[in-house]
Amino acid sequence: HEADGANAGEEFEDPQLIECICYALLLSSLTSDQLEKLGPIPLEDGDGSARRPADLLASLTSMLSDDASADLLGPLDVACPDRPFPETARWCMSALKNLTRPGALAPSRQVGDGKGGDKADAAEIASKAILDAGMLPLLAGILLHGTGGDGPAAPDWGPNTLQDSALYTLLHMSSLPGVRPALVTERMDCAVVLSGICGAGDGAGDTGQARLQRLKARMALCYLLDSLDTDDRHSSNLITDREAGALADLLSDTLAGRARDGPGGYSAAAFGAKGVLYAVRCLLAEARNRALVASSAHGIRLNALLAGAASRLADGGDDGVDAEAAEHAAVSLYRMTAHSLDEAALGFDTAMCAGPFLPTAPGAGKADTVAAV
């Protein structure tokens, strides 16, 4: 089930739980033929003592990656229907999704050199345990199989499917500053996988569920690209008008703390306002995205939401907006000033001399924002 967004994973401290889940996930991803060729895996050491989860996982991954058994087993085809334990794989992936979900106010960006003494939160412990278990290639493989083997296909993955949970897991891991560097390496570049999901198909006939999957991939890609040390890191991350609308809907929902029903829906705990604001900030770093938003039907609404989010800190803040989240909103608004961010852009019915951030009357700021949204 969905964990509470503000307290996601707070009780998780032992990476052995992740090791057990990863072991079960890897086994349940194999086909009947592969399991038969693999043979039994010893559960006890030579002295009769039970083997630790880490040892079992290491033994299994070693057997699967060994040159002698590679030809025998073949590649892990998670899309193959001949998998005897598909529900086990699905539940394991769903567990990883929930254990890696960061808290509502988890840091978005790396502060300093990243070597401070702050204790890692539960989501970061879980995410690093997944990396240590060597599960990243399997996550990528699940998503690559899900986009079609013969060419790009719309990521129309239903809720709680293997691919849906795998993409949520990768989104959560990408949102953690201490985990991002491991997701963009020469050996495994998750940005390539996410770009493929964003660009799969033309998007014209997307269902609500496919739009949600693209949005999740787009947000994760934002986080990964922002961690790169290049001036043009966001230049390849271009959104469409549909994605701008979906992003405005998501920001509105997260700021209000509400769920969305129907195809492409999500629970109130699935996304945090701070994470969505960070994605908006990253996307608006690219001039072409700013121009698209400013010229679209969603521009006024998105700017009003950003203004409302930035003002929440002045009102004492809330569970979803802290100083860093307000900074994301303020920087996003600043970036939109290049496109005549004025009263019309904000949606407030103010006199020109009043300035773009002033309400129509004393105490009417909240009402103005609600009316604009």
Side-chain angles (χ1 to χ4, degrees):
H1 66 94
E2 300 285 358
D4 179 77
N7 303 302
E10 284 187 357
E11 297 180 357
F12 172 78
E13 295 181 355
D14 191 352
Q16 287 192 77
L17 174 60
I18 294 292
E19 293 163 356
C20 291
I21 294 172
C22 289
Y23 177 75
L25 174 61
L26 192 52
L27 269 181
S28 57
S29 299
L30 298 175
T31 64
S32 300
D33 187 47
Q34 288 172 329
L35 286 169
E36 184 178 352
K37 294 174 181 177
L38 185 65
I41 299 174
L43 300 180
E44 297 180 346
D45 288 323
D47 58 0
S49 59
R51 303 180 70 188
R52 297 184 304 119
D55 295 333
L56 287 171
L57 183 60
S59 177
L60 178 58
T61 53
S62 176
M63 294 170 72
L64 293 175
S65 61
D66 184 69
D67 291 337
S69 62
D71 294 335
L72 185 69
L73 290 172
L76 295 180
D77 186 359
V78 295
C80 177
D82 182 27
R83 288 166 40 239
F85 308 109
E87 284 301 294
T88 301
R90 190 172 70 86
W91 281 105
C92 287
M93 187 56 70
S94 183
L96 295 182
K97 172 190 73 173
N98 286 324
L99 288 169
T100 54
R101 181 181 295 113
L105 299 180
S108 311
R109 313 185 87 194
Q110 192 76 59
V111 179
D113 59 5
K115 299 179 180 179
D118 293 342
K119 181 180 178 181
D121 68 0
E124 185 167 343
I125 293 173
S127 297
K128 289 184 175 179
I130 291 174
L131 293 174
D132 292 341
M135 290 294 103
L136 196 56
L138 181 59
L139 281 176
I142 290 171
L143 296 173
L144 287 172
H145 278 294
T147 53
D150 299 327
D156 193 12
W157 307 319
N160 296 316
T161 57
L162 195 64
Q163 293 93 341
D164 175 64
S165 295
L167 186 52
Y168 265 122
T169 302
L170 193 53
L171 170 63
H172 297 157
M173 294 173 69
S174 300
S175 72
L176 299 168
V179 177
R180 278 181 212 135
L183 303 181
V184 187
T185 64
E186 291 184 6
R187 183 178 180 184
M188 174 55 64
D189 190 349
C190 291
V192 175
V193 177
L194 294 167
S195 295
I197 297 172
C198 294
D202 60 10
D206 276 1
T207 63
Q209 198 62 34
R211 286 195 294 272
L212 174 63
Q213 305 300 359
R214 288 186 198 276
L215 185 60
K216 285 157 54 180
R218 183 70 68 189
M219 291 173 61
L221 184 59
C222 284
Y223 303 151
L224 293 185
L225 293 179
D226 196 51
S227 67
L228 303 179
D229 189 20
T230 57
D231 293 335
D232 62 343
R233 56 188 180 274
H234 292 294
S235 61
S236 62
N237 198 17
L238 302 179
I239 61 172
T240 64
D241 183 76
R242 292 185 186 87
E243 288 177 316
L247 194 62
D249 287 341
L250 181 60
L251 182 56
S252 177
D253 289 338
T254 54
L255 287 173
R258 62 174 174 255
R260 181 169 288 266
D261 298 325
Y266 37 80
S267 73
F271 299 92
K274 184 173 181 178
V276 180
L277 286 167
Y278 181 36
V280 172
R281 173 180 180 167
C282 293
L283 286 169
L284 294 182
E286 168 54 39
R288 286 170 290 181
N289 287 337
R290 296 196 294 271
L292 181 142
V293 170
S295 62
S296 75
H298 316 292
I300 291 177
R301 184 176 182 227
L302 186 60
N303 287 326
L305 288 166
L306 291 171
S311 68
R312 285 193 179 190
L313 191 64
D315 294 334
D318 59 25
D319 290 340
V321 178
D322 60 2
E324 188 181 30
E327 177 192 319
H328 296 330
V331 170
S332 298
L333 283 170
Y334 168 75
R335 286 172 171 167
M336 290 303 294
T337 57
H339 295 273
S340 301
L341 181 65
D342 55 16
E343 289 84 357
L346 282 174
F348 297 168
D349 185 17
T350 60
M352 288 299 292
C353 61
F357 295 102
L358 297 180
T360 55
K366 183 175 181 180
D368 288 338
T369 303
V370 171
V373 174

Short mmCIF file of all heavy atoms in Angstrom, two decimals, residues 243-298:
data_model
loop_
_atom_site.label_atom_id
_atom_site.label_comp_id
_atom_site.label_asym_id
_atom_site.label_seq_id
_atom_site.Cartn_x
_atom_site.Cartn_y
_atom_site.Cartn_z
N GLU A 243 2.73 17.60 -21.68
CA GLU A 243 3.48 17.40 -20.44
C GLU A 243 3.41 18.64 -19.56
O GLU A 243 3.37 18.53 -18.32
CB GLU A 243 4.93 17.06 -20.77
CG GLU A 243 5.11 15.67 -21.33
CD GLU A 243 6.55 15.36 -21.71
OE1 GLU A 243 7.20 16.23 -22.34
OE2 GLU A 243 7.04 14.28 -21.38
N ALA A 244 3.39 19.81 -20.16
CA ALA A 244 3.26 21.04 -19.38
C ALA A 244 1.92 21.05 -18.64
O ALA A 244 1.85 21.43 -17.46
CB ALA A 244 3.38 22.26 -20.29
N GLY A 245 0.87 20.59 -19.30
CA GLY A 245 -0.43 20.51 -18.65
C GLY A 245 -0.46 19.49 -17.54
O GLY A 245 -1.02 19.73 -16.47
N ALA A 246 0.16 18.33 -17.80
CA ALA A 246 0.20 17.28 -16.77
C ALA A 246 1.01 17.74 -15.57
O ALA A 246 0.67 17.43 -14.42
CB ALA A 246 0.80 16.01 -17.36
N LEU A 247 2.07 18.50 -15.81
CA LEU A 247 2.91 19.00 -14.71
C LEU A 247 2.14 20.02 -13.88
O LEU A 247 2.23 20.02 -12.64
CB LEU A 247 4.18 19.61 -15.29
CG LEU A 247 5.32 19.89 -14.30
CD1 LEU A 247 5.82 18.58 -13.68
CD2 LEU A 247 6.48 20.59 -15.01
N ALA A 248 1.37 20.89 -14.53
CA ALA A 248 0.56 21.86 -13.80
C ALA A 248 -0.51 21.15 -12.96
O ALA A 248 -0.76 21.52 -11.81
CB ALA A 248 -0.10 22.84 -14.78
N ASP A 249 -1.12 20.11 -13.52
CA ASP A 249 -2.10 19.33 -12.75
C ASP A 249 -1.45 18.69 -11.53
O ASP A 249 -2.02 18.72 -10.43
CB ASP A 249 -2.70 18.22 -13.63
CG ASP A 249 -3.66 18.75 -14.68
OD1 ASP A 249 -4.15 19.88 -14.51
OD2 ASP A 249 -3.92 18.02 -15.67
N LEU A 250 -0.27 18.12 -11.73
CA LEU A 250 0.42 17.45 -10.62
C LEU A 250 0.82 18.44 -9.54
O LEU A 250 0.67 18.16 -8.34
CB LEU A 250 1.65 16.71 -11.15
CG LEU A 250 2.46 15.92 -10.13
CD1 LEU A 250 1.61 14.85 -9.46
CD2 LEU A 250 3.69 15.28 -10.79
N LEU A 251 1.32 19.60 -9.93
CA LEU A 251 1.70 20.60 -8.94
C LEU A 251 0.49 21.09 -8.16
O LEU A 251 0.54 21.25 -6.94
CB LEU A 251 2.40 21.78 -9.63
CG LEU A 251 2.91 22.89 -8.71
CD1 LEU A 251 3.86 22.33 -7.64
CD2 LEU A 251 3.60 23.98 -9.52
N SER A 252 -0.62 21.31 -8.86
CA SER A 252 -1.85 21.72 -8.18
C SER A 252 -2.30 20.67 -7.17
O SER A 252 -2.67 20.99 -6.03
CB SER A 252 -2.94 21.96 -9.22
OG SER A 252 -4.17 22.30 -8.60
N ASP A 253 -2.25 19.40 -7.56
CA ASP A 253 -2.69 18.32 -6.68
C ASP A 253 -1.78 18.20 -5.46
O ASP A 253 -2.25 18.02 -4.33
CB ASP A 253 -2.72 16.99 -7.44
CG ASP A 253 -3.86 16.93 -8.45
OD1 ASP A 253 -4.83 17.69 -8.29
OD2 ASP A 253 -3.77 16.13 -9.40
N THR A 254 -0.46 18.26 -5.68
CA THR A 254 0.46 18.06 -4.55
C THR A 254 0.41 19.23 -3.57
O THR A 254 0.50 19.03 -2.35
CB THR A 254 1.90 17.86 -5.05
OG1 THR A 254 2.28 18.95 -5.91
CG2 THR A 254 2.04 16.56 -5.82
N LEU A 255 0.27 20.44 -4.08
CA LEU A 255 0.16 21.59 -3.18
C LEU A 255 -1.12 21.52 -2.35
O LEU A 255 -1.16 21.97 -1.20
CB LEU A 255 0.20 22.89 -3.97
CG LEU A 255 1.56 23.28 -4.56
CD1 LEU A 255 1.43 24.50 -5.46
CD2 LEU A 255 2.58 23.56 -3.45
N ALA A 256 -2.16 20.95 -2.94
CA ALA A 256 -3.44 20.81 -2.21
C ALA A 256 -3.50 19.53 -1.40
O ALA A 256 -4.45 19.33 -0.62
CB ALA A 256 -4.60 20.85 -3.21
N GLY A 257 -2.52 18.62 -1.58
CA GLY A 257 -2.51 17.36 -0.85
C GLY A 257 -3.64 16.44 -1.24
O GLY A 257 -4.18 15.72 -0.39
N ARG A 258 -4.00 16.42 -2.52
CA ARG A 258 -5.12 15.60 -2.95
C ARG A 258 -4.68 14.54 -3.95
O ARG A 258 -3.67 14.68 -4.64
CB ARG A 258 -6.22 16.46 -3.56
CG ARG A 258 -5.82 17.21 -4.80
CD ARG A 258 -7.00 17.93 -5.46
NE ARG A 258 -6.56 18.76 -6.57
CZ ARG A 258 -6.47 20.07 -6.53
NH1 ARG A 258 -6.79 20.73 -5.43
NH2 ARG A 258 -6.04 20.75 -7.59
N ALA A 259 -5.46 13.48 -4.01
CA ALA A 259 -5.22 12.40 -4.96
C ALA A 259 -5.92 12.71 -6.27
O ALA A 259 -6.73 13.65 -6.36
CB ALA A 259 -5.73 11.08 -4.38
N ARG A 260 -5.62 11.92 -7.29
CA ARG A 260 -6.30 12.05 -8.58
C ARG A 260 -6.86 10.68 -8.94
O ARG A 260 -6.14 9.68 -8.93
CB ARG A 260 -5.34 12.54 -9.65
CG ARG A 260 -5.99 12.72 -11.03
CD ARG A 260 -5.06 13.46 -11.97
NE ARG A 260 -4.96 14.87 -11.59
CZ ARG A 260 -5.69 15.86 -12.11
NH1 ARG A 260 -6.62 15.56 -13.02
NH2 ARG A 260 -5.52 17.09 -11.73
N ASP A 261 -8.12 10.63 -9.27
CA ASP A 261 -8.80 9.38 -9.59
C ASP A 261 -8.78 9.12 -11.10
O ASP A 261 -8.47 10.01 -11.90
CB ASP A 261 -10.24 9.41 -9.09
CG ASP A 261 -10.33 9.56 -7.58
OD1 ASP A 261 -9.45 8.99 -6.90
OD2 ASP A 261 -11.26 10.23 -7.10
N GLY A 262 -9.14 7.90 -11.46
CA GLY A 262 -9.27 7.55 -12.87
C GLY A 262 -7.95 7.12 -13.49
O GLY A 262 -6.92 7.04 -12.81
N PRO A 263 -7.97 6.83 -14.80
CA PRO A 263 -6.73 6.43 -15.50
C PRO A 263 -5.66 7.50 -15.38
O PRO A 263 -5.92 8.69 -15.58
CB PRO A 263 -7.20 6.28 -16.95
CG PRO A 263 -8.66 6.04 -16.87
CD PRO A 263 -9.14 6.83 -15.70
N GLY A 264 -4.46 7.08 -15.02
CA GLY A 264 -3.39 8.03 -14.82
C GLY A 264 -3.44 8.71 -13.46
O GLY A 264 -2.74 9.70 -13.22
N GLY A 265 -4.26 8.17 -12.57
CA GLY A 265 -4.39 8.76 -11.24
C GLY A 265 -3.28 8.32 -10.30
O GLY A 265 -2.45 7.47 -10.62
N TYR A 266 -3.27 8.92 -9.12
CA TYR A 266 -2.24 8.62 -8.12
C TYR A 266 -2.78 8.98 -6.75
O TYR A 266 -3.73 9.77 -6.62
CB TYR A 266 -0.95 9.40 -8.42
CG TYR A 266 -1.18 10.80 -8.94
CD1 TYR A 266 -1.50 11.85 -8.09
CD2 TYR A 266 -1.11 11.06 -10.30
CE1 TYR A 266 -1.72 13.13 -8.58
CE2 TYR A 266 -1.34 12.33 -10.80
CZ TYR A 266 -1.64 13.37 -9.94
OH TYR A 266 -1.87 14.63 -10.43
N SER A 267 -2.18 8.40 -5.73
CA SER A 267 -2.60 8.70 -4.36
C SER A 267 -1.99 10.03 -3.93
O SER A 267 -1.06 10.55 -4.56
CB SER A 267 -2.13 7.59 -3.41
OG SER A 267 -0.73 7.68 -3.20
N ALA A 268 -2.49 10.57 -2.84
CA ALA A 268 -1.98 11.85 -2.33
C ALA A 268 -0.54 11.73 -1.84
O ALA A 268 0.17 12.73 -1.73
CB ALA A 268 -2.88 12.35 -1.20
N ALA A 269 -0.09 10.50 -1.55
CA ALA A 269 1.26 10.29 -1.04
C ALA A 269 2.26 9.94 -2.13
O ALA A 269 3.45 9.82 -1.86
CB ALA A 269 1.25 9.16 0.00
N ALA A 270 1.79 9.78 -3.37
CA ALA A 270 2.69 9.30 -4.43
C ALA A 270 3.76 10.32 -4.79
O ALA A 270 4.89 9.96 -5.12
CB ALA A 270 1.87 8.95 -5.68
N PHE A 271 3.41 11.61 -4.75
CA PHE A 271 4.36 12.67 -5.10
C PHE A 271 4.37 13.71 -3.99
O PHE A 271 3.37 13.92 -3.31
CB PHE A 271 3.96 13.36 -6.41
CG PHE A 271 3.93 12.45 -7.61
CD1 PHE A 271 2.75 11.80 -7.97
CD2 PHE A 271 5.07 12.24 -8.37
CE1 PHE A 271 2.71 10.97 -9.07
CE2 PHE A 271 5.04 11.40 -9.47
CZ PHE A 271 3.86 10.77 -9.82
N GLY A 272 5.50 14.38 -3.84
CA GLY A 272 5.60 15.49 -2.89
C GLY A 272 5.70 16.80 -3.63
O GLY A 272 6.28 16.89 -4.71
N ALA A 273 5.12 17.86 -3.06
CA ALA A 273 5.15 19.17 -3.71
C ALA A 273 6.58 19.63 -3.94
O ALA A 273 6.89 20.23 -4.98
CB ALA A 273 4.39 20.19 -2.85
N LYS A 274 7.47 19.35 -3.01
CA LYS A 274 8.85 19.80 -3.13
C LYS A 274 9.53 19.16 -4.33
O LYS A 274 10.24 19.82 -5.09
CB LYS A 274 9.62 19.46 -1.85
CG LYS A 274 11.04 19.98 -1.83
CD LYS A 274 11.66 19.75 -0.46
CE LYS A 274 13.09 20.28 -0.40
NZ LYS A 274 13.68 20.10 0.94
N GLY A 275 9.30 17.86 -4.54
CA GLY A 275 9.89 17.18 -5.67
C GLY A 275 9.35 17.69 -7.00
O GLY A 275 10.10 17.81 -7.98
N VAL A 276 8.06 18.02 -7.04
CA VAL A 276 7.46 18.54 -8.27
C VAL A 276 8.00 19.94 -8.56
O VAL A 276 8.32 20.28 -9.70
CB VAL A 276 5.92 18.57 -8.16
CG1 VAL A 276 5.31 19.12 -9.45
CG2 VAL A 276 5.38 17.16 -7.89
N LEU A 277 8.14 20.76 -7.52
CA LEU A 277 8.69 22.11 -7.71
C LEU A 277 10.13 22.04 -8.21
O LEU A 277 10.55 22.85 -9.05
CB LEU A 277 8.63 22.88 -6.38
CG LEU A 277 7.24 23.36 -5.95
CD1 LEU A 277 7.27 23.82 -4.50
CD2 LEU A 277 6.76 24.49 -6.86
N TYR A 278 10.88 21.07 -7.73
CA TYR A 278 12.26 20.91 -8.19
C TYR A 278 12.29 20.52 -9.67
O TYR A 278 13.11 21.02 -10.45
CB TYR A 278 12.97 19.86 -7.34
CG TYR A 278 14.41 19.61 -7.70
CD1 TYR A 278 15.24 20.65 -8.13
CD2 TYR A 278 14.97 18.34 -7.61
CE1 TYR A 278 16.57 20.42 -8.45
CE2 TYR A 278 16.28 18.10 -7.93
CZ TYR A 278 17.09 19.14 -8.34
OH TYR A 278 18.39 18.91 -8.68
N ALA A 279 11.37 19.66 -10.08
CA ALA A 279 11.29 19.27 -11.49
C ALA A 279 10.95 20.47 -12.37
O ALA A 279 11.51 20.64 -13.45
CB ALA A 279 10.26 18.16 -11.67
N VAL A 280 10.01 21.31 -11.89
CA VAL A 280 9.64 22.51 -12.64
C VAL A 280 10.86 23.42 -12.78
O VAL A 280 11.15 23.96 -13.86
CB VAL A 280 8.49 23.25 -11.95
CG1 VAL A 280 8.23 24.60 -12.62
CG2 VAL A 280 7.23 22.40 -11.97
N ARG A 281 11.59 23.59 -11.70
CA ARG A 281 12.79 24.43 -11.73
C ARG A 281 13.78 23.92 -12.77
O ARG A 281 14.35 24.71 -13.54
CB ARG A 281 13.43 24.46 -10.34
CG ARG A 281 14.77 25.18 -10.29
CD ARG A 281 15.36 25.16 -8.89
NE ARG A 281 16.63 25.85 -8.84
CZ ARG A 281 17.26 26.22 -7.71
NH1 ARG A 281 16.69 25.93 -6.55
NH2 ARG A 281 18.41 26.85 -7.75
N CYS A 282 14.00 22.61 -12.78
CA CYS A 282 14.95 22.03 -13.74
C CYS A 282 14.48 22.22 -15.17
O CYS A 282 15.27 22.59 -16.06
CB CYS A 282 15.13 20.54 -13.45
SG CYS A 282 15.94 20.16 -11.88
N LEU A 283 13.21 21.98 -15.43
CA LEU A 283 12.68 22.10 -16.78
C LEU A 283 12.75 23.54 -17.29
O LEU A 283 13.03 23.79 -18.47
CB LEU A 283 11.24 21.59 -16.84
CG LEU A 283 11.08 20.07 -16.77
CD1 LEU A 283 9.62 19.70 -16.55
CD2 LEU A 283 11.61 19.42 -18.04
N LEU A 284 12.48 24.49 -16.41
CA LEU A 284 12.49 25.89 -16.82
C LEU A 284 13.90 26.45 -16.95
O LEU A 284 14.08 27.62 -17.34
CB LEU A 284 11.68 26.74 -15.84
CG LEU A 284 10.17 26.44 -15.81
CD1 LEU A 284 9.45 27.38 -14.84
CD2 LEU A 284 9.56 26.56 -17.21
N ALA A 285 14.91 25.65 -16.66
CA ALA A 285 16.29 26.08 -16.91
C ALA A 285 16.58 26.13 -18.41
O ALA A 285 17.52 26.81 -18.84
CB ALA A 285 17.28 25.14 -16.22
N GLU A 286 15.78 25.42 -19.21
CA GLU A 286 15.95 25.40 -20.66
C GLU A 286 15.03 26.46 -21.28
O GLU A 286 13.82 26.47 -21.05
CB GLU A 286 15.62 24.01 -21.20
CG GLU A 286 15.48 23.91 -22.70
CD GLU A 286 16.67 24.45 -23.45
OE1 GLU A 286 17.82 24.21 -23.01
OE2 GLU A 286 16.46 25.08 -24.49
N ALA A 287 15.62 27.35 -22.09
CA ALA A 287 14.87 28.47 -22.67
C ALA A 287 13.69 28.00 -23.52
O ALA A 287 12.63 28.64 -23.52
CB ALA A 287 15.81 29.34 -23.50
N ARG A 288 13.86 26.91 -24.26
CA ARG A 288 12.77 26.44 -25.12
C ARG A 288 11.58 25.94 -24.30
O ARG A 288 10.43 26.08 -24.72
CB ARG A 288 13.28 25.36 -26.07
CG ARG A 288 14.15 25.90 -27.19
CD ARG A 288 14.84 24.78 -27.95
NE ARG A 288 15.87 24.13 -27.15
CZ ARG A 288 16.63 23.12 -27.59
NH1 ARG A 288 16.46 22.66 -28.83
NH2 ARG A 288 17.54 22.58 -26.81
N ASN A 289 11.85 25.38 -23.13
CA ASN A 289 10.75 24.98 -22.26
C ASN A 289 10.02 26.19 -21.70
O ASN A 289 8.79 26.20 -21.57
CB ASN A 289 11.27 24.10 -21.12
CG ASN A 289 11.64 22.71 -21.57
OD1 ASN A 289 11.16 22.22 -22.59
ND2 ASN A 289 12.52 22.06 -20.82
N ARG A 290 10.78 27.23 -21.35
CA ARG A 290 10.15 28.45 -20.85
C ARG A 290 9.25 29.08 -21.91
O ARG A 290 8.14 29.54 -21.63
CB ARG A 290 11.22 29.46 -20.40
CG ARG A 290 12.06 28.99 -19.24
CD ARG A 290 12.82 30.15 -18.61
NE ARG A 290 13.82 30.74 -19.49
CZ ARG A 290 15.08 30.34 -19.58
NH1 ARG A 290 15.50 29.32 -18.84
NH2 ARG A 290 15.93 30.95 -20.38
N ALA A 291 9.75 29.10 -23.14
CA ALA A 291 8.95 29.68 -24.23
C ALA A 291 7.68 28.86 -24.47
O ALA A 291 6.60 29.44 -24.71
CB ALA A 291 9.79 29.73 -25.51
N LEU A 292 7.79 27.54 -24.38
CA LEU A 292 6.60 26.71 -24.59
C LEU A 292 5.56 26.95 -23.51
O LEU A 292 4.38 27.11 -23.80
CB LEU A 292 7.01 25.23 -24.62
CG LEU A 292 5.87 24.23 -24.86
CD1 LEU A 292 6.33 23.08 -25.74
CD2 LEU A 292 5.33 23.68 -23.54
N VAL A 293 6.01 26.98 -22.25
CA VAL A 293 5.07 27.19 -21.14
C VAL A 293 4.42 28.56 -21.25
O VAL A 293 3.21 28.71 -21.06
CB VAL A 293 5.81 27.03 -19.79
CG1 VAL A 293 4.92 27.49 -18.64
CG2 VAL A 293 6.24 25.59 -19.58
N ALA A 294 5.22 29.59 -21.57
CA ALA A 294 4.68 30.95 -21.64
C ALA A 294 3.65 31.10 -22.74
O ALA A 294 2.69 31.88 -22.61
CB ALA A 294 5.82 31.94 -21.87
N SER A 295 3.79 30.35 -23.82
CA SER A 295 2.87 30.47 -24.95
C SER A 295 1.72 29.48 -24.89
O SER A 295 0.83 29.52 -25.73
CB SER A 295 3.64 30.25 -26.27
OG SER A 295 4.19 28.95 -26.33
N SER A 296 1.72 28.59 -23.90
CA SER A 296 0.68 27.56 -23.82
C SER A 296 -0.48 28.02 -22.96
O SER A 296 -0.41 29.04 -22.26
CB SER A 296 1.26 26.27 -23.23
OG SER A 296 1.44 26.39 -21.83
N ALA A 297 -1.54 27.23 -22.99
CA ALA A 297 -2.71 27.54 -22.17
C ALA A 297 -2.45 27.26 -20.70
O ALA A 297 -3.27 27.63 -19.84
CB ALA A 297 -3.90 26.72 -22.65
N HIS A 298 -1.33 26.61 -20.38
CA HIS A 298 -1.04 26.22 -18.99
C HIS A 298 -0.14 27.23 -18.29
O HIS A 298 0.12 27.09 -17.10
CB HIS A 298 -0.37 24.85 -18.97
CG HIS A 298 -1.01 23.86 -19.88
ND1 HIS A 298 -2.28 23.35 -19.66
CD2 HIS A 298 -0.57 23.28 -21.03
CE1 HIS A 298 -2.59 22.50 -20.64
NE2 HIS A 298 -1.57 22.45 -21.47
#
